Amino acid sequence: MSKPALPTDQQLLGDIRTLIEQGRQQLATTVNSALTILYWQIGQRIHHEVLQGERAAYGEQIVSALSRQLEQEYGRGFSAKNLRHMLRFAETYPAGQIVSTLSRQLSWSHFLELIYLKDTLQRDFYSQMCAQESWSVRQLRERKNTLLFERTALSKQPEMLLTQELANLRQTGSLSQNLVLKDPYVLDFLGLNDRYLEKDLEDAILRDLEQFLLELGAGFSFVARQKRIQIDNDDFYIDLLFYNRRLKRLVAIDLKLGDFKAEHKGQMELYLRWLAKHEQEAGEAAPLGIILCSGKKQEQIELLELDASGIHVAEYLTALPPKEVLQAKLHQAIERSRARLDNRGEDN
């Protein structure tokens, strides 16, 4: 009977390196979770037992006195500023179970980015997407700065539906198309000047495909450019074709330089029906279409009821405007969309 082959020195070294890296990662995760929960517990203790829920000047004196003593014993991590962060943390997340769950995936630095967001639903969106997509702190900061939440289709839904979808994401980890689709898409990384053709836009997207995939969002992978389809001996071409593994569906993108026009709907519907017939596989959802325009005609889009056809119309921005300008524009769009959907619900 032959003896089993012994591993080479390099194999053994590689195996041990893997074990060490895995152990370090597990240890770092455990330590991070324990520290985050500790900071929450300290914030809770200060809030409930020292300040008794009050943020008066007397309470600030208590925090300052506590920090002086704790810094002497445990170092700079317990400065007055950090204790106030912990207090804010406990006030923002009063449920310990949520903190315990999120702390396994988010660091204390993530929470510092989240706890000063005033809108509860906005904060819930970022925390859940962070956990689902393993965003770094830098990625979280970038997505906040480009107003990702406000640009998602989800933000334009009635508040009740928005709450339900975030709860479903938290419980199942399942993304809906409302969480993935955006309007507008920010394509400032393409470096396009004021004058360009549709082909220039397409070429630029393919050159910066990695950045474009990041802007599209979770789960997208590139399939084809100028996908040729033949119907009744006529040739048609889909500008860009992607697959989204989270949504389990093909996504066709049509690029338009000008404003949205009603005839764009028929063109996209043709693409989607062909894809459903010839490319959709068992277990996949129906293909989804995104028409990217440099401008929108909102009333036309609403009258055409494009959502029922699986078509999403969105603007793209080749230059990011000042944050305040974009924020005001998005706020108006969100209010208008929610009011329209609420009125439709009352009519039904």
Side-chain angles (χ1 to χ4, degrees):
M1 186 182 212
S2 61
K3 295 181 179 180
L6 294 173
T8 66
D9 290 347
Q10 287 301 314
Q11 286 176 324
L12 182 59
L13 179 61
D15 290 345
I16 291 174
R17 279 175 172 162
T18 300
L19 289 171
I20 291 171
E21 292 301 323
Q22 289 175 343
R24 283 179 170 175
Q25 182 61 43
Q26 291 171 358
L27 180 61
T29 301
T30 302
V31 170
N32 168 70
S33 179
L35 274 176
T36 301
I37 291 171
L38 170 64
Y39 294 156
W40 180 82
Q41 290 172 333
I42 291 171
Q44 282 283 84
R45 180 81 177 194
I46 294 172
H47 179 67
H48 288 299
E49 298 195 25
V50 178
L51 301 185
Q52 297 179 346
E54 298 294 331
R55 299 297 300 273
Y58 173 72
E60 289 297 322
Q61 292 173 13
I62 295 292
V63 169
S64 297
L66 268 174
S67 70
R68 286 193 295 272
Q69 185 65 39
L70 291 172
E71 274 193 295
Q72 287 180 5
E73 297 181 38
Y74 300 106
R76 294 171 59 187
F78 297 92
S79 66
K81 179 180 179 181
N82 285 341
L83 289 183
R84 283 192 286 271
H85 288 325
M86 297 173 202
L87 180 57
R88 175 76 179 200
F89 185 28
E91 292 172 338
T92 304
Y93 292 94
Q97 183 57 46
I98 292 176
V99 172
S100 179
T101 301
L102 287 174
S103 68
R104 298 176 200 136
Q105 296 155 301
L106 307 185
S107 69
W108 172 238
S109 297
H110 283 104
F111 282 111
L112 287 177
E113 292 291 328
L114 295 168
I115 58 179
Y116 291 99
L117 292 172
K118 295 179 181 178
D119 185 273
T120 303
L121 293 171
Q122 181 188 39
R123 186 169 57 246
D124 194 13
F125 167 82
Y126 284 116
S127 64
Q128 295 306 317
M129 291 300 289
C130 256
Q132 290 293 322
E133 299 300 316
S134 301
W135 292 348
S136 67
V137 176
R138 179 180 177 181
Q139 287 172 322
L140 170 59
R141 194 175 295 128
E142 287 173 348
R143 284 156 174 76
K144 282 171 50 191
N145 287 340
T146 58
L147 306 175
L148 176 62
F149 170 71
E150 290 86 346
R151 293 190 292 121
T152 61
L154 181 68
S155 70
K156 299 172 180 65
Q157 299 298 313
E159 193 166 305
M160 183 180 296
L161 180 59
L162 200 161
T163 302
Q164 290 172 349
E165 290 215 27
L166 288 175
N168 183 62
L169 175 63
R170 182 166 51 250
Q171 292 163 11
T172 68
S174 176
L175 287 181
S176 70
Q177 71 177 50
N178 282 332
L179 283 160
V180 174
L181 297 175
K182 304 182 183 71
D183 184 26
Y185 287 84
V186 177
L187 307 182
D188 57 331
F189 53 86
L190 297 180
L192 292 168
N193 55 29
D194 292 337
R195 288 189 169 187
Y196 54 88
L197 304 173
E198 283 181 11
K199 185 180 181 300
D200 299 327
L201 176 60
E202 191 178 307
D203 287 343
I205 286 172
L206 269 293
R207 280 198 307 271
D208 285 290
L209 185 58
E210 185 176 353
Q211 281 291 328
F212 186 68
L213 287 170
L214 288 173
E215 174 59 14
L216 283 180
F220 279 91
S221 57
F222 177 68
V223 177
R225 172 190 190 179
Q226 290 297 311
K227 169 73 174 176
R228 177 175 172 267
I229 64 178
Q230 194 171 52
I231 305 170
D232 294 330
N233 295 319
D234 291 329
D235 288 337
F236 300 87
Y237 296 89
I238 301 173
D239 288 339
L240 298 168
L241 185 63
F242 294 85
Y243 183 78
N244 188 287
R245 60 182 176 80
R246 300 294 298 272
L247 299 178
K248 295 182 179 178
R249 65 201 306 180
L250 288 162
V251 181
I253 295 182
D254 210 9
L255 303 173
K256 303 295 182 186
L257 288 190
D259 290 343
F260 170 79
K261 296 178 181 178
E263 55 262 33
H264 296 161
K265 176 190 178 184
Q267 184 181 35
M268 180 57 81
E269 281 182 327
L270 189 67
Y271 295 163
L272 296 182
R273 290 179 184 178
W274 187 92
L275 289 170
K277 182 177 180 180
H278 297 284
E279 298 285 340
Q280 183 179 339
E281 296 186 1
E284 291 181 352
L288 178 70
I290 300 176
I291 301 174
L292 278 181
C293 308
S294 57
K296 289 172 64 176
K297 297 293 181 68
Q298 194 61 43
E299 189 174 0
Q300 288 186 34
I301 292 168
E302 292 172 8
L303 289 171
L304 289 170
E305 297 183 344
L306 295 173
D307 289 345
S309 302
I311 299 172
H312 176 65
V313 179
E315 289 182 86
Y316 61 86
L317 305 177
T318 56
L320 188 63
K323 186 175 180 179
E324 298 76 16
V325 174
L326 182 58
Q327 203 161 26
K329 177 181 177 180
L330 291 173
H331 179 73
Q332 291 173 0
I334 289 169
E335 291 299 315
R336 187 168 58 246
S337 294
R338 288 184 180 176
R340 176 172 52 84
L341 291 170
D342 286 338
N343 290 336
R344 185 186 297 174
E346 290 174 4
D347 292 340
N348 293 335

